[in-house]
Amino acid sequence: MKNDPTPASDAIGRLVQEFARLPGIGPKSAQRITFHLLRSPEESARTLAEALLNLKQKITLCSTCCNVTEADPCTICRNPQRDSSQVCIVEQPQDILALEHTGAYRGQYHVLHGAISPTEGVGVDDIRIRELMARLQDGSVSEVILATNTNLEGEQTAMYLSRVIAPLGIKVTRLARGLPFGTELEYADDMTLTRALEGRSEF
Ligand SMILES: [Zn+2]
């Protein structure tokens, strides 16, 4: 009898399991967060639950750059101060946060939502390349900065993009200097990213 899970421990166990599924959270942290919430006032649990629901209900993709946004077009695409002749191509929305944090870039972005990876079955049509190419047709973009990760998938993607974009007469550059092979942009520090941006070379 004494090993029977009570309804309370079911609720705890279930939440621990859900948290443990998230990236970067191991079973220990999942437990710590769950017990922290258990001790917190009901209001904070409600606020967290609402924030989680809002995330899925309110966030959509910008129809111009494919970044996650609550309003379409997103704040970057809407900002007249941004240089619309430069488009920096990244794999994930988090990469924009990293680049914006440096304050070194004033152009626009395009989010691919992935990278080409034949081994994982991710092809050209599985990421937002079609949207990018459509966007580049009107001749208003003079430089595309390839800021995909410096791992195998990121390099393959950069290579492919350079091959299809160069014929449009658009200058294609690649972040390079200071970013060691295998770097995920999202985890690079400001200094390294700024240097990589400034030192970008024709690709
Ligand atoms: Zn946008």
Side-chain angles (χ1 to χ4, degrees):
M1 271 308 271
K2 68 177 183 242
N3 283 332
D4 277 358
T6 62
S9 75
D10 263 357
I12 291 172
R14 199 179 141 209
L15 192 56
V16 170
Q17 223 172 42
E18 289 301 325
F19 280 130
R21 249 184 247 169
L22 302 175
I25 300 184
K28 272 267 151 57
S29 305
Q31 232 170 52
R32 208 172 308 134
I33 297 169
T34 302
F35 281 99
H36 168 81
L37 286 169
L38 192 61
R39 283 192 306 269
S40 311
E42 191 171 339
E43 184 53 29
S44 25
R46 198 184 309 280
T47 310
L48 176 66
E50 271 166 18
L52 284 172
L53 286 175
N54 268 346
L55 185 67
K56 293 310 268 187
Q57 283 161 1
K58 292 207 175 145
I59 301 291
T60 141
L61 292 189
C62 172
S63 57
T64 306
C65 71
C66 302
N67 190 14
V68 288
T69 180
E70 279 190 40
D72 185 19
C74 72
T75 49
I76 294 178
C77 288
R78 259 200 326 250
N79 184 348
Q81 316 282 355
R82 309 281 311 207
D83 182 355
S84 57
S85 73
Q86 279 185 331
V87 175
C88 181
I89 302 179
V90 296
E91 291 182 22
Q92 303 295 345
Q94 306 92 288
D95 300 333
I96 293 186
L97 297 181
L99 285 161
E100 284 298 286
H101 197 256
T102 68
Y105 181 65
R106 298 300 300 162
Q108 307 234 342
Y109 293 97
H110 188 88
V111 186
L112 296 173
H113 293 274
I116 299 171
S117 170
T119 51
E120 283 175 40
V122 182
V124 171
D125 294 326
D126 299 315
I127 56 177
R128 307 281 171 157
I129 290 179
R130 203 177 315 117
E131 289 85 345
L132 172 68
M133 296 313 287
R135 185 178 172 191
L136 296 179
Q137 297 304 321
D138 71 359
S140 64
V141 175
S142 58
E143 181 183 2
V144 158
I145 303 162
L146 301 172
T148 49
N149 292 333
T150 62
N151 53 21
L152 188 61
E153 290 78 21
E155 290 299 338
Q156 278 171 342
T157 308
M159 219 109 76
Y160 174 82
L161 288 175
S162 132
R163 215 171 54 228
V164 291
I165 294 170
L168 302 175
I170 296 170
K171 184 171 153 194
V172 179
T173 57
R174 174 90 171 109
L175 293 193
R177 191 152 55 100
L179 285 179
F181 187 81
T183 299
E184 292 194 25
L185 222 64
E186 150 184 25
Y187 301 114
D189 63 274
D190 280 358
M191 198 55 187
T192 307
L193 265 184
T194 303
R195 270 210 308 268
L197 254 173
E198 286 167 352
R200 67 184 182 271
S201 53
E202 211 142 343
F203 191 69

